[in-house]
Amino acid sequence: MRRLWLTTLLLLCSPVWSQTVVASVEPLAKVLRSLYGDSVTVTTLLQANQNPHQLAFSPRQVLAVQQADLMVWLGAGVEAPLAPLVARRQGPSVALLTLEGVYRRDGGHDHQHDHDAHASHGATTDPHLWLSVDNMVLLAGAVGQRFPAGLRPGQPQQWQQAAENQLQAERERLAPLARVPWLSYHQPWGYLSESLGLAEPLVVSEQLDAGPGSRRFVTLAGQVRDQQVRCAVQEPEARVGLLKRLCPDCYVQPLDPLGRDSSQQEYLPWLAELSAGFAQCLRAADQD
């Protein structure tokens, strides 16, 4: 009887379940993990082994969207396949693109987040909005207001200040490399390179599923030679052989704009990792 009483007391004093916040992509989840304590479980809808360019949601993912205590996503303008699921939700949601002051770059390349929007609305927003630190500071504030339950003490204000401080430090660290030319297979890095004060890269292809034609290849090879490009950033979807043919002398730096290959669970350590990757590539090129 005493054991039964103790068990009942423990059950009454313990939370039956934690609240769940679902982020559409991993970088948004990295921000959320920085804000919430152990009483909130943060999960990522897009799995690491899912093809981000031909996205189809499983029944489990559909259920996750419906049951989440909070859904955080980029917005219908760049995540069109997710919009109907969010529209059917009963609980609160935060869409980055709906926030006042969000920074949008022009885009236009084929990507899972913007392909459907381009086809139906002619939108040209670069979908990699999470690579703007200013956008993530804005998102953190909106999430804190919309879903304050479970926030760590001092959040989101402490994280916002830390993000602004780190961005300034990274810009200063990379300032000597700001004019070093570099090559990217496509251009997911615009928000980040602009935030860090880096030069715009030479872009191999505007579409992930299509390489440059022969005339474009010759032009690119000439630009690589004339600009003395020695740094190539290799996204997971990049055609490595093509990059090496274009720039045989390049230092090749693998980086993932979606953070799928990173062991860093929070955004600011991941930002430092990306910045260090760019620094290593550009520094190697600058020393040649």
Side-chain angles (χ1 to χ4, degrees):
M1 189 69 182
R2 179 181 175 84
R3 182 177 298 175
L4 177 62
W5 180 82
L6 287 173
T7 302
T8 303
L9 183 63
L10 286 172
L11 288 172
L12 289 173
C13 294
S14 301
V16 178
W17 60 79
S18 66
Q19 298 179 103
T20 301
V21 176
V22 173
S24 59
V25 291
E26 174 60 19
L28 301 186
K30 292 182 188 301
V31 174
L32 298 172
R33 292 187 194 107
S34 307
L35 303 179
Y36 288 103
D38 295 336
S39 63
V40 174
T41 300
V42 176
T43 62
T44 303
L45 191 66
L46 179 65
Q47 299 304 300
N49 61 352
Q50 252 181 310
N51 185 341
H53 314 295
Q54 296 176 348
L55 187 59
F57 296 111
S58 69
R60 179 177 295 182
Q61 288 173 309
V62 172
L63 191 63
V65 173
Q66 296 306 309
Q67 294 184 341
D69 294 290
L70 176 70
M71 179 71 207
V72 181
W73 62 312
L74 300 173
V78 294
E79 287 183 318
L82 186 53
L85 301 183
V86 177
R88 291 196 295 268
R89 276 180 46 78
Q90 298 299 313
S93 303
V94 174
L96 178 61
L97 280 173
T98 66
L99 303 181
E100 184 178 354
V102 66
Y103 176 48
R104 309 165 186 244
R105 280 176 56 96
D106 288 338
H109 55 272
D110 186 11
H111 190 279
Q112 78 100 0
H113 296 296
D114 61 352
H115 177 71
D116 291 343
H118 288 167
S120 58
H121 303 294
T124 57
T125 298
D126 182 338
H128 306 87
L129 297 133
W130 59 85
L131 289 174
S132 163
V133 177
D134 289 342
N135 281 347
M136 293 302 94
V137 168
L138 189 68
L139 181 71
V143 166
Q145 289 183 350
R146 191 80 171 102
F147 196 72
L151 285 173
R152 290 172 173 168
Q155 301 299 355
Q157 293 81 6
Q158 288 183 4
W159 187 86
Q160 290 172 312
Q161 187 62 57
E164 292 170 357
N165 292 345
Q166 183 171 327
L167 177 60
Q168 182 61 33
E170 300 291 359
R171 283 183 65 93
E172 292 174 0
R173 190 174 296 117
L174 288 168
L177 304 170
R179 296 186 178 182
V180 178
W182 57 290
L183 182 71
S184 179
Y185 188 80
H186 76 303
Q187 173 54 329
W189 303 108
Y191 292 100
L192 183 63
S193 60
E194 186 176 328
S195 295
L196 296 176
L198 302 179
E200 287 289 319
L202 283 176
V203 179
V204 176
S205 177
E206 292 294 335
Q207 295 185 336
L208 283 173
D209 57 355
S214 57
R215 184 175 298 179
R216 170 69 175 159
F217 184 93
V218 171
T219 300
L220 276 171
Q223 291 174 318
V224 167
R225 180 184 62 251
D226 295 343
Q227 297 181 30
Q228 298 184 327
V229 178
R230 296 293 183 270
C231 166
V233 175
Q234 175 191 314
E235 308 93 80
E237 297 82 11
R239 299 185 182 184
V240 182
L242 182 59
L243 280 178
K244 290 182 177 179
R245 290 199 303 275
L246 268 175
C247 192
D249 298 326
C250 269
Y251 179 95
V252 178
Q253 177 67 56
L255 289 175
D256 182 5
L258 273 165
R260 293 163 292 187
D261 61 348
S262 176
S263 62
Q264 302 296 342
Q265 293 296 297
E266 297 189 3
Y267 186 89
L268 295 183
W270 178 56
L271 174 65
E273 189 177 80
L274 291 177
S275 179
F278 272 96
Q280 185 170 343
C281 189
L282 295 171
R283 194 171 291 118
D286 196 41
Q287 292 172 352
D288 284 348

